[in-house]
Amino acid sequence: MARLAQTAGLTDIQREILATVKDFVDKEVIPHAQALEHADEYPADIVAGMREMGLFGLTIPEEYGGLGESLLTYALVVEQIARGWMSVSGVINTHFIVAHMIKQHGTDAQKRHYLPRMATGEVRGAFSMSEPDLGSDVAAIKTRAKRDGDEYVIDGAKMWLTNGGSSTLIALLARTDEGAEKPHRNLTAFLVDKPAGFGEVVPGLTIPGKIEKMGYKGVDTTEAVFDGYRIGADKVLGEAPGQGFGFMMDGVEVGRVNVAARACGIAIRAFELAVDYAQQRRTFGKPIAEHQAIAFKLAEMATKVEAAHLMTVNAARLKDSGQRNDVAAGMAKLLASEYCAEVTQEAFRIHGGYGYSKEYEIERLMREAPFLLIGEGTSEIQKTIISRGLLREYRAR
Ligand SMILES: Cc1cc2nc3c(=O)[nH]c(=O)nc-3n(C[C@H](O)[C@H](O)[C@H](O)COP(=O)(O)OP(=O)(O)OC[C@H]3O[C@@H](n4cnc5c(N)ncnc54)[C@H](O)[C@@H]3O)c2cc1C
């Protein structure tokens, strides 16, 4: 992108990584995205390319074999990838969240065991909080983990695991009996090892199959059924029972920056497609871009792209500086996902009838954008987080 979504103050290394990723997206992702998405086919070659570039270890510290890059670098990489195809960014996102949680909250043994193999992409992470009966209301989780000597026995059903089939490690939130009064204090995060695949992948854990989705295809989204599944107590994240809710929320917070970045990527692509099409398509004797109604749409779309990008960069930088960023991440996610839906819709309208044809990329973006209004917390949940944070800071005296 020549003019939009530029980021001031990047290091040479960040610029180099972004240039490499952009080149990869232009050559290896965009030309194949449409066909793979329509076939709902896992992008195995693209994922192999990302492994080669070291993207699975982008934010994992160098001492564990990763590139040790910041959340900002990650967000900008995700923006580029989502510009090519959002599903590809979905492949690395849950992996990145799980690596972040292990890095921040894991024991030394857990870090040594998982992070080097996560950095190469040999171990791939999925993140599981949602259940058939709940998504926003995480503290209501029903899946139970009952202590039995040195092990826990897990029973329950999980829903909406992005990378549920292709991952080999699930960060799972389950209810344990800690005797705490507050419900979220009775939740524990587990590191569940499993082979990739579907069916009963290990005794007591079944990954039934892919959920058919309206968009966000290619990447597998699944259920997970735990039935008497046994796991060692050493697989409790941080060996800290009852602290899982906080650990997962920390993961979700960086995940929100990632969703905002994805929304920026899709909006950038929608703008690129629209601005091209508007200069080629002629009506009433001139390109439609010369009709003020269309030119103004382009102006508004570009302004939204720019605002969303800046807020996402701001939220990532705040987290990187070690400051609390729940409000900033919530604002970035809210604004970027809502603007993405609007920009995509306007690009679709600019394409006229062709926007409805499966031959045109905008048709795919139209099906992808709505997911961003829901994933990592709906817009209503973002508003709840933002307003709570504001009322905390602006408390009337
Ligand atoms: C493709 C896809 C992939 C996903 N991947 C994952 C994953 O990898 N891991 C994972 O754990 N989950 C995942 N999810 C689940 C996702 O996080 C939830 O769908 C999301 O959090 C919303 O939860 P819900 O679907 O249960 O909706 P609900 O919580 O039932 O909400 C329904 C509606 O009510 C509104 N609402 C709920 N509570 C309130 C309130 N207090 N105030 C105002 N409005 C409210 C919501 O905003 C929404 O509009 C995925 C979902 C999808 C669709």
Side-chain angles (χ1 to χ4, degrees):
M1 165 128 313
R3 171 75 176 77
L4 295 183
Q6 300 295 313
T7 313
L10 296 182
T11 63
D12 289 346
I13 292 178
Q14 285 174 315
R15 275 199 295 271
E16 204 175 296
I17 291 173
L18 287 172
T20 307
V21 172
K22 184 176 183 307
D23 191 52
F24 177 77
V25 166
D26 286 337
K27 291 184 182 143
E28 308 295 338
V29 180
I30 290 178
H32 306 290
Q34 208 66 352
L36 288 169
E37 205 265 356
H38 287 159
D40 200 358
E41 191 178 325
Y42 190 77
D45 291 344
I46 295 174
V47 172
M50 292 200 300
R51 264 184 89 164
E52 230 165 81
M53 283 191 285
L55 293 189
F56 284 95
L58 189 61
T59 56
I60 293 175
E62 284 170 304
E63 61 178 305
Y64 298 109
L67 297 176
E69 274 297 323
S70 61
L71 179 59
L72 176 63
T73 313
Y74 180 77
L76 296 174
V77 164
V78 164
E79 181 179 72
Q80 276 305 326
I81 293 175
R83 181 184 145 264
W85 183 17
M86 202 251 302
S87 297
V88 177
S89 65
V91 172
I92 52 171
N93 179 46
T94 57
H95 177 86
F96 151 77
I97 293 178
V98 177
H100 172 82
M101 283 167 44
I102 294 174
K103 180 179 79 177
Q104 293 299 116
H105 309 292
T107 62
D108 282 344
Q110 288 168 346
K111 289 181 201 175
R112 281 197 307 273
H113 180 69
Y114 287 111
L115 292 179
R117 290 186 298 138
M118 291 186 87
T120 60
E122 178 197 336
V123 169
R124 301 260 299 280
F127 176 85
S128 178
M129 294 199 306
S130 302
E131 297 186 356
D133 291 340
L134 61 101
S136 308
D137 189 5
V138 176
I141 274 177
K142 291 182 187 158
T143 295
R144 259 189 186 282
K146 211 164 178 286
R147 185 90 193 217
D148 181 20
D150 288 342
E151 294 184 323
Y152 285 84
V153 183
I154 304 183
D155 288 286
K158 288 290 179 181
M159 185 72 187
W160 298 117
L161 284 82
T162 301
N163 299 306
S166 48
S167 60
T168 54
L169 169 66
I170 303 174
L172 171 82
L173 194 60
R175 180 164 301 286
T176 50
D177 292 319
E178 309 303 328
E181 270 180 34
K182 293 188 174 164
H184 67 273
R185 287 277 172 207
N186 291 311
L187 296 176
T188 297
F190 291 88
L191 298 171
V192 176
D193 296 306
K194 70 170 190 64
F198 296 95
E200 187 167 293
V201 287
V202 280
L205 170 56
T206 301
I207 308 290
K210 284 183 357 179
I211 298 169
E212 296 285 325
K213 303 176 300 244
M214 73 183 263
Y216 197 25
K217 295 179 192 234
V219 61
D220 48 299
T221 307
T222 73
E223 297 170 54
V225 181
F226 292 87
D227 182 9
Y229 173 79
R230 301 188 82 85
I231 186 167
D234 60 334
K235 294 290 182 181
V236 168
L237 179 62
E239 293 196 10
Q243 291 189 43
F245 182 84
F247 295 164
M248 300 297 264
M249 286 305 129
D250 182 31
V252 165
E253 209 170 283
V254 289
R256 280 186 185 136
V257 173
N258 154 82
V259 172
R262 282 199 226 181
C264 292
I266 292 181
I268 291 169
R269 186 66 187 155
F271 175 79
E272 286 174 353
L273 296 172
V275 80
D276 266 2
Y277 188 83
Q279 291 170 85
Q280 286 161 25
R281 181 72 174 177
R282 297 175 70 86
T283 66
F284 303 94
K286 56 185 176 184
I288 58 171
E290 289 179 22
H291 299 300
Q292 194 180 51
I294 300 296
F296 278 15
K297 275 189 200 294
L298 293 172
E300 285 173 14
M301 289 160 72
T303 306
K304 287 175 180 172
V305 165
E306 205 63 346
H309 176 81
L310 289 172
M311 283 194 72
T312 303
V313 166
N314 180 52
R317 283 195 161 134
L318 209 61
K319 185 79 176 176
D320 284 333
S321 71
Q323 293 179 65
R324 185 173 180 159
N325 91 329
D326 52 346
V327 171
M331 285 178 169
K333 198 267 170 183
L334 173 66
L335 184 112
S337 60
E338 294 285 348
Y339 275 4
C340 172
E342 291 169 21
V343 168
T344 311
Q345 169 85 233
E346 290 297 55
F348 165 75
R349 288 175 187 228
I350 286 173
H351 279 75
Y354 289 106
Y356 214 68
S357 158
K358 286 177 94 169
E359 274 184 38
Y360 283 72
E361 231 178 299
I362 190 62
E363 168 273 336
R364 172 170 58 79
L365 305 189
M366 279 289 286
R367 291 183 287 104
E368 289 175 342
F371 167 64
L372 301 171
L373 300 168
I374 294 165
E376 309 288 2
T378 62
S379 291
E380 289 73 27
I381 295 304
Q382 304 312 317
K383 288 178 196 173
T384 308
I385 293 164
I386 296 164
S387 55
R388 270 193 205 140
L390 292 174
L391 290 169
R392 202 171 47 233
E393 286 170 35
Y394 287 81
R395 197 179 300 283
R397 290 174 203 281

